[in-house]
Amino acid sequence: TCSEFQNYLGHLSKQGLLAQQKAGTSTLAKYLVSVMDVAFFVYSGSPSVSHSMKLSQIIVGSIRELELAGLSHLELSSYKDKIRRELLAQLMAIRDERSFGLHTLNLLDCLVHMGAHLTSEALDGLLEKRQIGDGDLDAFALLTLIRSCGSRSEAAVFRTRCLRRVESLVKQGKTQPDYETQRAILLLSIPASPDLTNKEVVRATGLTADEVKAMRSSRSASLFAWDSDKHYHERLLLKASRMVY
């Protein structure tokens, strides 16, 4: 449908029918608002990893289409604000089950991509709504939450809490086989974070200062993509191509 809209708008542009082109762009925006309303309604009824991927794709794809169509800056900002509010509402919705699964992490990534910078209080609320404590967070949840905090001072308190949990998991992984994999993931990911200081990495991972400096100065790949905002749409398409989604 968006492809048909773009062809129609391109035709109007070639004909010099600027008023009709502007009206057509507004119609496209209204159509995509309706699509988003349906998508959020469907997701709210059945949250899952697959549905969160599809919802994120629709969100990012719709914004790209509106940018290509030449929607005004004011209208585009209004559309993005609506998406941010809806995403936050889904994240803060009270669920029957006690969970903090990949579907939640996917929506959190999408919200951050949309430019919503959550404070420590908001992130605390996100865990409380799902009846999740710091001790329930696994490696991937911690990495995603730390990435969402960035280096922002308003999220510093929550970031520190996450790093304490990282430190705990790393220590547990030394003596408890059940935590060995999480320990390895964290040790191969945390040092590559661009938002953490060397001191924070040393304390969280238990590595020496020299080891951390060596890892951060090398070009070794991280197991976690800290620059998820880069080529975000392409990353979603790559994930969606897998059978599980």
Side-chain angles (χ1 to χ4, degrees), residues 48-217:
S48 69
V49 178
S50 178
H51 286 174
S52 69
M53 288 297 303
K54 291 180 175 67
L55 180 60
S56 298
Q57 278 185 273
I58 293 172
I59 289 171
V60 178
S62 66
I63 292 172
R64 285 165 65 98
E65 289 295 333
L66 291 175
E67 289 174 342
L68 287 172
L71 192 69
S72 71
H73 177 72
L74 182 60
E75 289 177 304
L76 188 60
S77 295
S78 177
Y79 184 80
K80 289 181 178 180
D81 283 341
K82 172 184 170 60
I83 300 299
R84 282 190 284 264
R85 290 195 302 271
E86 293 285 359
L87 278 172
L88 192 57
Q90 289 298 329
L91 287 169
M92 294 300 180
I94 298 176
R95 306 294 184 196
D96 292 334
E97 74 279 6
R98 183 171 176 268
S99 69
F100 196 76
L102 287 175
H103 58 291
T104 300
L105 300 180
N106 284 336
L107 291 196
L108 181 59
D109 272 343
C110 190
L111 185 63
V112 172
H113 174 74
M114 294 292 296
H117 302 301
L118 300 180
T119 63
S120 290
E121 291 75 15
L123 289 165
D124 279 337
L126 179 59
L127 296 187
E128 289 174 6
K129 288 288 184 181
R130 283 166 170 72
Q131 305 174 50
I132 294 294
D134 295 354
D136 300 309
L137 297 173
D138 62 16
F140 286 113
L142 287 165
L143 292 171
T144 302
L145 288 167
I146 291 171
R147 181 171 62 190
S148 71
C149 290
S151 58
R152 296 175 295 108
S153 59
E154 59 268 30
V157 174
F158 189 84
R159 183 173 58 248
T160 300
R161 282 175 49 195
C162 287
L163 290 174
R164 288 197 192 113
R165 173 59 178 162
V166 170
E167 184 180 358
S168 174
L169 282 176
V170 169
K171 289 179 179 177
Q172 284 178 291
K174 285 184 177 181
T175 57
Q176 301 178 44
D178 290 346
Y179 294 93
E180 285 181 351
T181 301
Q182 294 196 63
R183 179 176 185 271
I185 291 170
L186 292 170
L187 288 178
L188 292 172
S189 302
I190 289 293
S193 171
D195 300 313
L196 300 177
T197 65
N198 285 357
K199 186 177 180 180
E200 287 175 318
V201 174
V202 167
R203 180 172 181 177
T205 62
L207 298 170
T208 66
D210 289 338
E211 287 174 329
V212 170
K213 287 180 182 178
M215 291 181 71
R216 304 191 93 172
S217 61

Side-chain angles (χ1 to χ4, degrees), residues 1-10 24-25 27-29 31 65:
T1 306
C2 288
S3 178
E4 292 296 328
F5 258 113
Q6 294 296 356
N7 290 336
Y8 172 63
L9 294 174
T25 302
T27 301
L28 173 61
Y31 165 74
E65 289 295 333

